[in-house]
Amino acid sequence: MLMVTFAGRAAIPGPTAGIGYSIWSYRVDTNNPGPGGQGDLTPGQRIAIGLPRRADVRGPEQYPGVPQLEGTFVLRDATSSRVYAGRQITSPGPQTISFVAPSAESSYEVLMAKAPLGQSLAAVPFLAGAGTTAQPLQVMTAPMVGAPVFNGRPPDDFTGTLPYASELFGVYQPLAGWFGQNGSLRAVRALADERLARLGGGAFAGQAARALDDEGLAALAERFDALAQGVLSPVGLVNLFREYFFEFDTFLGGPVGHLWISPGGMVEVVESSTRRTLVERTAEQAEETSRKVEESLTDQDDLADAVKEDNANDTNLGVTASGGVDTGVYHADASASFSMQTTVKRSSEQTHKHTRTQSSKTTSEIKRNFKTTFRTVTETTDTSSRRYVVQNTTNELVNYELRRKMRKIGVQVQHIGARLSWQVYLDAPGRSLGLGELVHVVTAPDLTAVPKPEVRPYPAEQQVTYHLAVPFVLYQGADDEAENTYQTSNENINHGIFRPDVGANDIIEFRFDFPLPPPPPGTTLKKIGMLDFHGAQVRFTTDAADLGVNPDPAANVLKVRLTYANFEGRKFMPFDAIMVYEPTPEAKHAVDVANQAARTAYDRRVAALQHEAYGHAVRDRLRLVSGIRPRPSQDLRDEERQTVYAHLIRQLRLFDDDHLGSELIRQIFDVDEMLYFVAPDYWRPIDVPPPSQGSVGKYPVPPPPWDMENPGVLGGQTVLTWYAHTDASNALDEQLHTVPEWRVNYLVTEETQPAPLGSSLGWLIQEDGDERRNEFLNAAWAKAVLPVRPGHEVEALRWLAQAHVEGEAGLGLPYPVQPGDPPAYQNKTVGQVLELLAAELQAANTDITRTLATEEVFETGFDPLEGGFRPAAPYEVFDQWVEVLPTDQVVAVEVRYDPKTGQQL
């Protein structure tokens, strides 16, 4: 009976050694030697171990000159689920089967097969060691199935490597138990409790305040449990940490491409590495045109840079300036324990969770950031690309895998100190910050293609000549021949009179009303143009008062009265009457209507063009606003920090002179390292009504410049932020009736970048700000945290306990000892424990050996941390992990494949 035992692994000798592979050896013996000691191992036979087909077993032909592999073979059969590694028996006695396989170890079922030379192998029962039962399949130690995964050397090999970058951040924890005057009075204003209504600043000083014997303070303590009292406490701890980045190793990752070259062939490979995001949009119209938009974005390709950028943009961090550099500070839960050891441990756990998640996220983003395109060309003019010429000078087909070169980055985190801090709440911190405005001149529409309407004049006055005659009408007298000269009678102005020397006077008619023909269409009689008697001896009047309206358009009559006349023997005196006619009101109205219609049509076309032009201007403005680069984050944080500090000085009013108060605070507190946390607009201490039709949002679309009555210097030519637009969608009321549902929306186009955070919430967005600035602008309140200057911790604690600052409410209560607290905290009050903590921090922050401990990594380099994480003790490295990053480099690696199975050899 054959007995197979695992003999171990050995490194592959010589230059043909493959990384991640070893020589595996199995000893084959027999427990029944038989005559001559041969037993079941007869010379001339073949024996082999059967491994799973997917096992990456390599034959001896790939490793010439390796003594352990002489006389061995590897047999693959496409119809079999096994790959066989064996040898031919050439001498009696125990045999050793060796083969090359991945170094990683596993265990699974293997089989043993043997057969005379020239025959197919057949499985036989065997023993897997002494005391086992003979079976066709035995579970044994064997190589890992599949190709080996090699991720570079272990971290221990890089002991002493100096960090190439570092990042500083912190964790802030309020210390519950002290009822600060500023936070408590702020809470009282928000609570409807009669017992709290009389609580004022004077209640926070004295023995009654220390023991919470005051009715108002006692009621306040009842409303907040132990941990919730952290919002009322004026003090907290900031634990500072530093994240180190170490360059460990490089190795080849998975394949990103494949090449094959025939014998004598040559391929020119052009590698184009890019770090851009391609966005393609296609808009189809009736004429089947297409539009393509490409946006290039520059991304980080280093873990340290990516972490720094993520910290700068993380809206959950407070920001402080340490050594002139913005440092992110995470807000942890309030701590009921004042112990340095306890707070450092809890802060380190918070730090481990965030930094590990953050590093994984940024690494994933960097991995997606790299893209390499390979193309085979016969001619190229791209001088900026990398070109490789790969030539096959052998007589066989050669295959190459193109594999990405990967970087292995080690990360460690160290606690570097703790700072006692003072926390104060401020309302609307961003109210005094000015915003940038985009100057954008709206171009008036081109109206040359719109003809101005022609103004039709009223119809012109018309002159019509009528041929009339004045008859000779004799009332008395003997002048039948009309020869006498007549003048107006004194007795009747409508009569003409001639007084002869003898006889009666001759009297004739001097007043005549001449009916006129109908006026021309669309006109009415206006006035007399002229009366022409063709040189006759006659004088007349047409405008005497008694004649009335003359001519009379109502009666269509011309009235003439003679004042002197000699008919010269004629019975009629002919004359021409030129009458003037003007358009009727109806005719004028028709002209007015036509002119107004033409003007309205013109104004409508102009308004349409102006509306379209302004719509395009709004689109352009949205595109420009969305593409404005944000200002440097450090500048924005400095402005916010100064605003918060100025607000703080005005709110506290420690002295009548704000400058004096500022200098006092700066003596004790490190204002330059002040950090702040903001509460965004999603919570406000007032009821905000839902949007309605009258809602306008923070910045609605203004009217176009040409509609402004009195525009200023830049009226209508600036844009403050993203436009808001109130619009309605349909909704159902309780009776299932359709009603409008109003919302204040934000405007986008297909060309704008994604809208900033807060756009759907109606926030005021700063064009050149970042997410943190927008949160700051819309914050209902902020919490400012001022670290105490190192060495002034005890002094700061005493100053804060003064009646006009925070008072001493709750400092006389017994300190609730927590697990892990030092024995010195036993039987102490809250105030006494705070004094112990302040003294401990003052001693630690002024100890030069502690400072040197925080710089040790820069001197001694990487020191492997067993287990990867341990709760941090002060000033110790407590967290460690490894990240793998891709590079923009690709390496061609020659590979071989089994032509029958298609598996890589």
Side-chain angles (χ1 to χ4, degrees):
M1 180 67 64
L2 295 179
M3 183 168 59
V4 181
T5 55
F6 175 54
R9 295 187 304 271
I12 304 174
T16 59
I19 298 178
Y21 287 85
S22 300
I23 298 177
W24 289 71
S25 298
Y26 291 84
R27 177 183 173 86
V28 183
D29 205 347
T30 178
N31 64 351
N32 181 23
Q38 298 177 5
D40 295 324
L41 299 174
T42 306
Q45 285 187 328
R46 294 186 302 166
I47 56 174
I49 292 179
L51 304 175
R53 180 177 177 178
R54 292 175 48 248
D56 187 12
V57 180
R58 300 191 172 189
E61 68 278 2
Q62 295 180 255
Y63 303 93
V66 178
Q68 296 96 317
L69 301 181
E70 292 183 1
T72 63
F73 63 85
V74 173
L75 180 63
R76 296 181 184 274
D77 187 351
T79 62
S80 174
S81 63
R82 296 280 172 171
V83 56
Y84 293 94
R87 69 180 305 117
Q88 181 178 343
I89 301 176
T90 58
S91 59
Q95 305 293 316
T96 299
I97 299 176
S98 299
F99 55 89
V100 175
S103 303
E105 182 180 297
S106 181
S107 61
Y108 45 78
E109 291 182 336
V110 300
L111 59 79
M112 189 68 191
K114 69 175 185 175
L117 189 63
Q119 296 184 15
S120 299
L121 292 172
V124 296
F126 67 102
L127 301 172
T132 61
T133 303
Q135 295 180 10
L137 294 173
Q138 298 280 6
V139 177
M140 300 187 65
T141 300
M144 176 193 69
V145 175
V149 177
F150 180 72
N151 293 328
R153 293 176 289 167
D156 290 356
D157 290 355
F158 302 96
T159 301
T161 300
L162 295 178
Y164 72 88
S166 64
E167 174 75 355
L168 190 68
F169 60 96
V171 175
Y172 174 72
Q173 284 183 289
L175 299 178
W178 184 357
F179 291 80
Q181 178 177 319
N182 289 287
S184 298
L185 292 180
R186 178 186 176 88
V188 165
R189 291 193 297 268
L191 298 174
D193 192 325
E194 293 182 358
R195 295 177 300 171
L196 301 176
R198 296 184 297 274
L199 189 62
F204 289 84
Q207 185 58 38
R210 295 179 62 85
L212 296 184
D213 290 337
D214 181 86
E215 180 184 3
L217 290 175
L220 186 65
E222 291 177 6
R223 296 294 298 266
F224 293 87
D225 58 28
L227 288 181
Q229 292 172 8
V231 301
L232 306 180
S233 174
V235 293
L237 278 180
V238 175
N239 281 286
L240 298 176
F241 302 90
R242 184 181 287 129
E243 195 171 6
Y244 302 96
F245 302 91
F246 304 89
E247 188 77 46
F248 274 3
D249 202 359
T250 60
F251 61 93
L252 298 183
V256 296
H258 183 87
L259 289 177
W260 61 269
I261 308 176
S262 60
M266 181 179 68
V267 172
E268 183 179 357
V269 179
V270 179
E271 178 189 353
S272 301
S273 298
T274 179
R275 296 180 183 88
R276 67 180 181 181
T277 300
L278 182 65
V279 180
E280 181 175 320
R281 303 183 182 96
T282 301
E284 294 186 358
Q285 300 177 356
E287 58 269 28
E288 296 185 357
T289 61
S290 64
R291 184 178 186 183
K292 183 177 181 181
V293 178
E294 180 177 307
E295 298 171 358
S296 296
L297 303 176
T298 301
D299 297 325
Q300 301 288 350
D301 57 1
D302 188 86
L303 181 60
D305 294 338
V307 170
K308 291 176 185 292
E309 182 175 339
D310 187 65
N311 283 343
N313 296 327
D314 192 341
T315 58
N316 294 320
L317 271 69
V319 176
T320 182
S322 181
V325 179
D326 282 347
T327 301
V329 179
Y330 303 93
H331 199 303
D333 295 335
S335 175
S337 172
F338 293 178
S339 167
M340 270 287 295
Q341 189 75 21
T342 301
T343 57
V344 169
K345 285 183 179 180
R346 292 180 179 174
S347 297
S348 67
E349 294 169 358
Q350 180 85 7
T351 298
H352 169 75
K353 294 176 182 178
H354 178 83
T355 53
R356 188 67 185 90
T357 303
Q358 178 192 43
S359 179
S360 298
K361 180 187 72 173
T362 54
T363 302
S364 176
E365 292 174 352
I366 292 173
K367 287 179 180 178
R368 293 195 299 268
N369 185 33
F370 283 102
K371 175 184 177 183
T372 300
T373 304
F374 295 94
R375 49 194 170 97
T376 302
V377 298
T378 57
E379 181 179 2
T380 181
T381 57
D382 186 1
T383 57
S384 64
S385 298
R386 299 177 183 177
R387 294 184 294 171
Y388 307 94
V389 177
V390 185
Q391 187 173 5
N392 182 10
T393 59
T394 68
N395 295 325
E396 298 181 356
L397 183 70
V398 177
N399 290 277
Y400 290 96
E401 275 187 352
L402 303 172
R403 302 176 66 181
R404 175 81 62 193
K405 189 176 181 180
M406 312 294 286
R407 294 173 58 202
K408 189 156 84 169
I409 305 297
V411 184
Q412 283 190 336
V413 183
Q414 180 187 17
H415 177 263
I416 62 170
R419 303 283 293 276
L420 186 66
S421 302
W422 174 31
Q423 68 174 15
V424 183
Y425 293 91
L426 310 170
D427 290 323
R431 181 64 183 85
S432 59
L433 281 176
L435 307 180
E437 290 192 61
L438 171 69
V439 178
H440 181 265
V441 179
V442 179
T443 304
D446 183 7
L447 302 179
T448 56
V450 183
K452 291 187 176 181
E454 294 185 10
V455 179
R456 287 176 49 189
Y458 291 145
E461 293 181 347
Q462 300 183 30
Q463 294 184 354
V464 180
T465 301
Y466 297 108
H467 303 291
L468 304 175
V470 177
F472 182 78
V473 180
L474 182 65
Y475 287 134
Q476 72 177 27
D479 189 14
D480 293 330
E481 299 299 327
E483 293 177 347
N484 295 328
T485 299
Y486 295 85
Q487 295 182 355
T488 302
S489 172
N490 294 330
E491 291 80 9
N492 188 345
I493 60 175
N494 291 326
H495 290 169
I497 187 170
F498 174 74
R499 293 181 177 88
D501 294 336
V502 267
N505 294 334
D506 295 329
I507 298 176
I508 64 174
E509 180 68 38
F510 256 24
R511 161 74 184 268
F512 300 93
D513 290 345
F514 297 97
L516 298 176
T523 64
T524 184
L525 188 59
K526 179 182 181 183
K527 65 180 180 179
I528 301 170
M530 184 179 66
L531 298 181
D532 185 6
F533 281 85
H534 307 294
Q537 298 181 40
V538 64
R539 289 195 294 271
F540 58 90
T541 181
T542 58
D543 55 1
D546 62 298
L547 294 179
V549 179
N550 190 27
D552 185 355
N556 199 26
V557 171
L558 171 64
K559 303 171 185 177
V560 179
R561 182 167 62 229
L562 303 180
T563 58
Y564 176 88
N566 187 333
F567 282 79
E568 299 178 5
R570 294 174 296 178
K571 295 297 183 180
F572 291 92
M573 184 184 297
F575 69 94
D576 291 335
I578 301 176
M579 308 306 297
V580 178
Y581 293 88
E582 66 177 356
T584 61
E586 291 78 10
K588 290 182 179 181
H589 178 70
V591 173
D592 290 340
V593 169
N595 286 337
Q596 184 60 41
R599 183 68 191 184
T600 301
Y602 173 79
D603 291 343
R604 188 181 297 112
R605 294 187 63 183
V606 169
L609 291 176
Q610 290 177 336
H611 185 76
E612 181 181 3
Y614 194 55
H616 287 299
V618 170
R619 284 175 53 87
D620 291 340
R621 288 179 170 184
L622 291 171
R623 175 178 55 81
L624 294 173
V625 167
S626 72
I628 291 179
R629 296 187 303 272
R631 295 169 55 195
S633 60
Q634 184 170 351
D635 293 349
L636 297 174
R637 302 296 86 78
D638 287 343
E639 290 178 351
E640 293 160 7
R641 193 177 296 111
Q642 291 184 27
T643 300
V644 169
Y645 183 60
H647 197 155
L648 174 66
I649 296 299
R650 289 194 299 269
Q651 176 174 308
L652 293 178
R653 298 294 297 176
L654 301 175
F655 300 95
D656 293 335
D657 186 350
D658 288 340
H659 299 286
L660 183 60
S662 173
E663 289 302 317
L664 175 62
I665 291 177
R666 284 184 178 275
Q667 285 184 1
I668 304 176
F669 300 94
D670 197 339
V671 175
D672 294 333
E673 294 191 11
M674 179 187 67
L675 60 112
Y676 52 90
F677 301 90
V678 297
D681 191 44
Y682 54 74
W683 178 86
R684 282 190 179 275
I686 57 175
D687 292 330
V688 179
S692 63
Q693 187 175 3
S695 301
V696 293
K698 288 292 181 66
Y699 192 65
V701 180
W706 45 79
D707 286 349
M708 293 185 177
E709 294 183 0
N710 296 307
V713 177
L714 289 176
Q717 310 294 0
T718 61
V719 187
L720 178 65
T721 181
W722 285 67
Y723 284 135
H725 179 66
T726 304
D727 205 349
S729 58
N730 289 330
L732 296 178
D733 60 11
E734 297 179 354
Q735 289 75 34
L736 300 182
H737 298 152
T738 302
V739 294
E741 187 176 69
W742 294 93
R743 284 184 171 85
V744 179
N745 303 320
Y746 59 93
L747 302 180
V748 297
T749 73
E750 75 278 6
E751 295 181 348
T752 55
Q753 300 290 339
L757 174 68
S759 298
S760 296
L761 300 174
W763 283 8
L764 179 64
I765 304 297
Q766 181 171 332
E767 295 171 340
D768 57 352
D770 54 14
E771 289 185 5
R772 289 190 59 84
R773 168 54 62 89
N774 293 331
E775 277 205 345
F776 191 85
L777 289 174
N778 295 274
W781 52 270
K783 177 164 68 176
V785 178
L786 281 80
V788 177
R789 288 187 180 275
H792 293 267
E793 286 81 0
V794 175
E795 178 187 358
L797 199 62
R798 293 172 181 169
W799 182 80
L800 290 174
Q802 295 183 68
H804 67 285
V805 184
E806 292 290 354
E808 47 190 352
L811 294 183
L813 295 177
Y815 172 74
V817 179
Q818 305 293 321
D821 284 349
Y825 288 5
Q826 299 282 346
N827 302 319
K828 295 288 193 304
T829 64
V830 172
Q832 291 171 336
V833 173
L834 281 174
E835 291 176 356
L836 292 175
L837 174 63
E840 180 184 358
L841 288 171
Q842 184 165 315
N845 291 333
T846 54
D847 186 356
I848 188 61
T849 59
R850 299 292 182 90
T851 303
L852 295 177
T854 63
E855 306 295 328
E856 184 178 357
V857 174
F858 293 112
E859 298 179 4
T860 62
F862 177 73
D863 184 13
L865 180 63
E866 184 178 357
F869 175 78
R870 62 187 176 199
Y875 306 98
E876 287 187 356
V877 173
F878 65 91
D879 201 3
Q880 169 186 307
W881 66 91
V882 175
E883 294 289 354
V884 175
L885 304 179
T887 70
D888 59 354
Q889 303 174 28
V890 176
V891 179
V893 179
E894 182 179 352
V895 294
R896 299 180 61 190
Y897 293 89
D898 188 311
K900 293 183 179 179
T901 64
Q903 185 170 350
Q904 183 176 319
L905 300 176

